[in-house]
Amino acid sequence: GPGAMAQASALLSQGPAPQAVPASHLPVKVCEVARNTGPDSSSGLAMASFRTAKHLPHEWHQSSAHLYHEAFTGCEQAERSRAEAKELAERAAATAQRAQQDSMATLGQRLQDIHFWKAELQREIEDLDAETSLLAAQKLRLERALDATEVPYTIATDNLQCRERRQPPDLVSDEVERELLKETELIRNIQELLKRTLVQAGDQMRLNRDHKEICEMDWSDKVETYNVDDKCGRYSNQSTNIQFHPSSVKFEESASTPETWAKFSHDNIYRAEQEKLASINLRALIDNILHDISEDLRMQCAAVNEAFAKHCEELDHTKHKLEHHLKNILKEIGEQEADIAALKQAIKDKEAPMKVAQTRLYDRSFRPNVELCRDEARFRLIREVEELTESIESLKKKLLESQQSLRNLEGTRMNLEKEIAVKTNSIFIDRQKCMAHRTHYSLVLKLAGYQ
């Protein structure tokens, strides 16, 4: 029946059972035949041929009895041996079955252990992969930020260059220049910081990938091992693909212990976890850096703009004052010119009275003899000429003074006009060139994604 078959196959799988009685130890019966050589023996030749080597009856009985006894003990021994063999076979089968079940349970436990570490490694690989992607996005933000600093830097240096074209006395190292220099230095420092952080991000991404690779190699070894142990777990006595491998029992020198085996994956995961944490911290740091530099740039940009606005206001105010003075000077010049013309006219006007007085004196010098009298009329005429001469002198002196004054006014007018031109130039540089250029600044900061 099937039971017998299973037993037979179980026995077969065990190899031959040891025999109860070794074959070489079976007793060999040696029969000594007693020869008749007594005094009663027949010595006839004919008889002798019949009598030679024959057994006596009691010997015959003895021989049979011995054989029966031998057969009986043989059967008894065989039966006992059979029972022992059967018991041994059953015990061997049970032992084999129990050992196989234990092995199966141990393999099952081992599969669970492998699965646990495999899952842990897989989670770590996925975490590191996601983390590296997030860090790559942060690195891109840093690169964009670094590119975006170029525009503010160009603007600030261009502002400084433009302001070199101011004319004296406006070519001064003022508050605006100080703020612009501060701005260029700030941007240079920011660029250095961004470059350093970019290198750091690159290094961290490399470390993340290295540790991910270590975990992936560990994971793939675990997958392979899991498949091997899973295959082993599926073997049964009925499997067709099993065979003898006597040498496989030998102990491998380089094999790991369960402790070192578990420690290997634990250490890999621990190190990967450390890198993941470092990566998370670096991302937070990058966030802070981008936020801080955006704040610093925004504040410095505002400080520069404020200095510009204040300076332009001062320039406007000064220019207005200068223009006011110029207006007054021009009015004064007009009045002075009119004054000079009036003085010249006054001098001219004295010519006729002088001629009259002098002609009178000249004509009266022709009076004859005693008539040439130093009378009152002569004294009065002489005094008139003196008065007129004095009057003309003072007018001429006044005229010279007025002309000098006009020249002074003209000089002042020129200076004022020159100064107004200088101020106009300064205002043009600061407002039209510098401040207009700076409007691109804040736009760039927004676009660069600092905020």
Side-chain angles (χ1 to χ4, degrees), residues 72-360:
F72 178 75
T73 55
C75 280
E76 205 176 37
Q77 228 169 6
E79 205 176 310
R80 199 162 56 247
S81 175
R82 248 189 9 264
E84 276 173 13
K86 188 183 174 196
E87 191 193 338
L88 192 67
E90 279 169 1
R91 204 161 59 241
T95 306
Q97 195 182 0
R98 196 164 57 248
Q100 202 173 59
Q101 276 169 350
D102 283 357
S103 293
M104 279 287 283
T106 317
L107 271 174
Q109 183 56 50
R110 189 64 184 156
L111 281 171
Q112 276 180 5
D113 291 350
I114 296 168
H115 183 268
F116 166 77
W117 285 112
K118 186 163 67 93
E120 288 292 305
L121 284 162
Q122 194 166 347
R123 197 179 70 228
E124 197 54 46
I125 290 164
E126 284 163 9
D127 283 1
L128 263 182
D129 205 33
E131 178 53 41
T132 307
S133 300
L134 291 172
L135 186 57
Q138 286 291 67
K139 187 169 175 257
L140 190 66
R141 284 181 71 200
L142 283 173
E143 282 160 2
R144 283 214 200 102
L146 184 58
D147 289 343
T149 55
E150 279 309 314
V151 175
Y153 189 70
T154 309
I155 290 173
T157 46
D158 185 60
N159 283 174
L160 284 164
Q161 279 163 3
C162 278
R163 299 186 92 245
E164 288 299 310
R165 295 201 291 274
R166 290 171 301 164
Q167 292 155 352
D170 279 11
L171 190 58
V172 283
S173 177
D174 54 5
E175 186 62 26
V176 178
E177 189 167 303
R178 279 196 293 279
E179 290 297 342
L180 277 169
L181 287 168
K182 255 165 74 180
E183 186 171 64
T184 52
E185 195 189 352
L186 173 70
I187 297 170
R188 269 204 301 270
N189 291 342
I190 283 171
Q191 287 173 339
E192 283 307 306
L193 173 65
L194 288 174
K195 281 174 192 162
R196 280 202 308 276
T197 315
L198 269 170
V199 170
Q200 215 178 329
D203 290 347
Q204 188 58 56
M205 279 166 75
R206 240 189 331 276
L207 284 168
N208 287 0
R209 287 201 192 100
D210 290 349
H211 281 81
K212 186 184 132 200
E213 215 169 276
I214 291 167
C215 288
E216 279 171 344
M217 283 165 78
D218 193 354
W219 178 84
S220 77
D221 287 351
K222 295 266 184 293
V223 170
E224 209 177 313
T225 307
Y226 189 89
N227 292 340
V228 169
D229 278 1
D230 189 44
K231 185 173 148 199
C232 291
R234 289 176 199 282
Y235 287 135
S236 72
N237 297 331
Q238 283 73 42
S239 299
T240 53
N241 55 344
I242 52 176
Q243 59 189 75
F244 290 112
H245 295 284
S247 63
S248 64
V249 180
K250 277 211 297 289
F251 180 74
E252 297 93 334
E253 284 303 316
S254 62
S256 61
T257 67
E259 289 75 24
T260 60
W261 174 81
K263 188 178 185 305
F264 180 75
S265 292
H266 173 271
D267 289 353
N268 286 342
I269 289 170
Y270 176 77
R271 283 193 290 267
E273 198 62 27
Q274 295 301 100
E275 292 308 331
K276 192 178 87 182
L277 282 175
S279 187
I280 290 168
N281 291 339
L282 182 58
R283 279 195 296 116
L285 177 73
I286 291 171
D287 269 337
N288 291 340
I289 285 174
L290 287 174
H291 175 264
D292 290 351
I293 64 176
S294 130
E295 278 301 292
D296 292 351
L297 279 174
R298 207 169 49 72
M299 281 167 69
Q300 189 51 38
C301 177
V304 172
N305 289 349
E306 197 182 321
F308 262 123
K310 207 164 137 192
H311 188 58
C312 284
E313 212 175 287
E314 280 174 14
L315 285 171
D316 279 340
H317 181 64
T318 310
K319 189 180 159 218
H320 286 143
K321 260 162 78 175
L322 289 168
E323 282 168 345
H324 174 68
H325 284 300
L326 180 63
K327 204 166 96 185
N328 289 346
I329 290 279
L330 288 172
K331 196 170 116 198
E332 199 55 49
I333 284 172
E335 285 174 1
Q336 198 68 34
E337 282 171 344
D339 206 24
I340 286 167
L343 279 170
K344 282 179 176 169
Q345 191 55 54
I347 291 165
K348 205 170 181 191
D349 287 350
K350 297 295 165 284
E351 282 175 8
M354 181 64 98
K355 281 178 190 170
V356 169
Q358 285 183 354
T359 306
R360 281 174 179 168

Side-chain angles (χ1 to χ4, degrees), residues 380-444:
R380 188 67 195 93
L381 281 168
I382 286 169
R383 238 181 13 259
E384 188 185 354
V385 169
E386 281 170 0
E387 280 169 14
L388 281 169
T389 304
E390 210 177 296
S391 182
I392 287 165
E393 282 307 312
S394 63
L395 284 169
K396 279 184 175 168
K397 195 177 162 201
K398 196 70 197 153
L399 177 64
L400 285 172
E401 277 175 23
S402 295
Q403 282 167 335
Q404 186 54 51
S405 171
L406 179 63
R407 276 196 296 277
N408 293 346
L409 286 170
E410 287 289 357
T412 308
R413 188 195 81 181
M414 274 174 67
N415 290 340
L416 284 169
E417 281 172 349
K418 214 160 91 188
E419 193 59 24
I420 287 166
V422 168
K423 294 283 175 280
T424 307
N425 176 56
S426 297
I427 289 168
F428 172 75
I429 286 170
D430 280 1
R431 193 168 277 146
Q432 257 49 53
K433 284 263 199 244
C434 298
M435 287 176 85
H437 197 179
R438 292 184 71 78
T439 53
H440 301 297
Y441 198 131
S442 48
L443 186 71
V444 166

